[in-house]
């Protein structure tokens, strides 16, 4: 397997222009701690509420006419689902999305609102049914992360950070699930800003990527374990094969944060940053606020990967975090 390069990343940047939002890099003076400074990359501002539109549109826009006529199938806990559904609607394609029945209702409803057919299944069936549907009906399978087109699309986050970052930037924090976002972002940064460290962040309750990177072996965690975390977008049991190669090539380390720290950061971002972040989207900034000793560094950018949170959960987190 070949790693994604600058040519693919820049082609993706051109392909998604006008569809995905070029999100700003926001300074956070309220988050300064001595010499430490933070910028936030709010992918929660995308049309579908998360970074996933970048990869999904890049993949679907590159399909041949024959492939487009077959329609697409994808699996997701919610953000890739919405992105594929939205991109398919823009391109006039049929989309079938397989989602675990534990997905937040707000994500299921949004996916359906974009015109996709949603099939709810038990969590352990989420990643196997799409292949069966593709074989049975001829759909093109659009995986959520283990795909070079997806990785290149997500990597446009890294290109934008590199173009917009202050000269002093030394560390970029990126959430990790299946690995598409961190793979593309790390490749973009290491190939264009080689002095910047890229550190992945994941929940303690779903730390398969940290174990994989540190052991040198791609490791899977049981679904029953990863589904304990509130960060529903980061419950994937293992990083993909192609993302793991990118992690080994470009990612400096992966740290974890606790459930309490994730909850606290959702509330903090809403109050101080005026940003609505889902738990998965709050994981990277949570490392800045709660893992300073592990991270080192001084000038940070953290990706807020999504903002598709159930309103009731947001209200609870704001109340308990007061």
């Amino acid at each position: 397997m070949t790693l994604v390069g600058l040519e693919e990343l820049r082609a993706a940047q051109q392909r998604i222009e006008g569809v995905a939002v070029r999100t700003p890099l926001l300074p956070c003076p309220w988050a300064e701690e001595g010499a430490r400074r933070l910028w936030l990359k709010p992918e929660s501002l995308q049309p579908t509420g998360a970074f996933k539109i970048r990869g999904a549109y890049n993949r679907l826009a590159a399909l041949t006419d024959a492939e487009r006529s077959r329609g697409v199938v994808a699996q997701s806990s919610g953000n890739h689902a919405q992105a594929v559904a939205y991109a398919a609607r823009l391109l006039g394609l049929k989309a079938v999305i397989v989602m675990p029945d534990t997905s937040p209702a707000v994500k299921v409803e949004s996916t359906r609102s974009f015109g996709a057919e949603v099939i709810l299944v038990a969590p352990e069936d989420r990643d196997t049914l799409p292949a069966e549907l593709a074989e049975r009906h001829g759909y093109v399978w659009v995986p959520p992360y283990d795909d070079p087109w997806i990785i290149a699309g997500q990597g446009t986050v890294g290109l934008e950070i590199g173009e917009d970052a202050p000269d002093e930037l030394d560390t970029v924090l990126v959430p990790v699930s299946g690995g598409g976002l961190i793979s593309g972002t790390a490749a973009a940064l290491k190939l264009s800003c080689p002095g910047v460290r890229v550190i992945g962040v994941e929940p303690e309750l779903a730390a398969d990527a940290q174990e994989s990177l540190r052991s040198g072996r791609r490791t899977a965690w049981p679904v029953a374990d990863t589904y304990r975390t509130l960060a529903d977008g980061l419950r994937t049991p293992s990083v993909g094969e192609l993302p793991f190669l990118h992690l080994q090539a470009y990612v400096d380390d992966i740290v974890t944060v606790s459930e309490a720290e994730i909850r606290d950061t959702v509330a903090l971002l809403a109050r101080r940053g005026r940003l609505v972040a889902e738990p998965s989207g709050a994981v990277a900034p949570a490392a800045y606020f709660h893992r300073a000793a592990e991270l080192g560094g001084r000038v940070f950018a953290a990706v807020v990967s999504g903002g598709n949170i159930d309103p009731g959960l947001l209200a609870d987190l704001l109340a308990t975090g007061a």
Side-chain angles (χ1 to χ4, degrees), residues 38 171-175 197-201 255 284-285 287-288 295 300-304:
L38 174 68
T171 307
V172 177
L173 304 173
V174 187
R197 295 183 307 150
V198 179
I199 298 180
V201 189
V255 302
Y288 173 86
L295 295 176
F300 292 79
V303 179
V304 179

Side-chain angles (χ1 to χ4, degrees), residues 107-286:
K107 294 183 178 182
V108 176
E109 292 163 7
S110 179
T111 303
R112 286 181 171 143
S113 77
F114 293 132
E117 176 187 346
V118 174
I119 301 174
L120 296 176
V121 299
E124 58 270 20
D125 296 328
R126 185 193 76 164
D127 293 332
T128 56
L129 182 58
E132 297 174 17
L133 294 174
E135 183 175 356
R136 191 184 314 158
H137 300 289
Y139 302 138
V140 176
W141 188 7
V142 183
Y145 47 83
D146 209 348
D147 179 277
W149 298 91
I150 297 292
I151 290 172
Q154 319 305 28
T156 59
V157 169
L159 290 179
E160 292 174 11
I161 291 174
E163 291 163 357
D164 297 343
D167 292 340
E168 303 87 352
L169 181 72
D170 57 46
T171 307
V172 177
L173 304 173
V174 187
V176 188
S177 181
L181 175 61
I182 193 168
S183 294
T185 298
L189 288 165
K190 293 294 187 177
L191 294 173
S192 61
C193 309
V196 173
R197 295 183 307 150
V198 179
I199 298 180
V201 189
E202 61 184 345
E204 289 178 351
L205 298 182
D208 58 280
Q210 183 191 65
E211 181 179 339
S212 297
L213 183 63
R214 293 185 178 182
S215 70
R217 300 187 312 275
R218 193 168 68 97
T219 303
W221 280 31
V223 168
D225 287 350
T226 62
Y227 270 68
R228 296 173 298 166
T229 180
L230 184 65
D232 63 277
L234 306 181
R235 292 170 174 166
T236 303
S238 69
V239 295
E241 293 182 15
L242 184 56
F244 184 54
L245 296 180
H246 285 77
L247 263 63
Q248 291 182 304
Y250 297 126
V251 175
D252 295 280
D253 196 10
I254 297 176
V255 302
T256 64
V257 290
S258 71
E259 296 298 294
E261 290 162 350
I262 295 170
R263 291 170 176 268
D264 173 76
T265 304
V266 170
L268 181 62
L269 292 175
R271 286 199 205 89
R272 300 300 308 278
R274 281 82 59 192
L275 289 174
V276 173
E278 61 189 276
S280 303
V283 165

Side-chain angles (χ1 to χ4, degrees), residues 13-88:
Q13 192 173 41
Q14 292 180 348
R15 195 174 288 114
I16 69 173
E17 186 176 2
V19 175
V21 173
R22 184 189 176 99
T23 54
L25 201 59
L26 299 175
C28 302
W30 51 271
E32 292 179 5
E33 299 177 355
R36 297 177 78 237
R37 290 184 287 152
L38 174 68
W39 273 258
L40 293 175
K41 180 72 168 169
E43 287 296 292
S44 51
L45 302 181
Q46 290 294 346
T48 58
F51 74 94
K52 291 283 192 176
I53 185 58
R54 296 172 180 269
Y57 191 82
N58 189 52
R59 182 68 196 98
L60 267 61
L63 294 175
T64 65
D65 289 342
E67 289 171 329
R68 292 187 185 198
S69 69
R70 290 158 50 191
V72 297
V73 63
Q75 77 269 28
S76 169
S77 62
N79 286 334
H80 181 61
Q82 293 170 87
V84 171
Y86 180 68

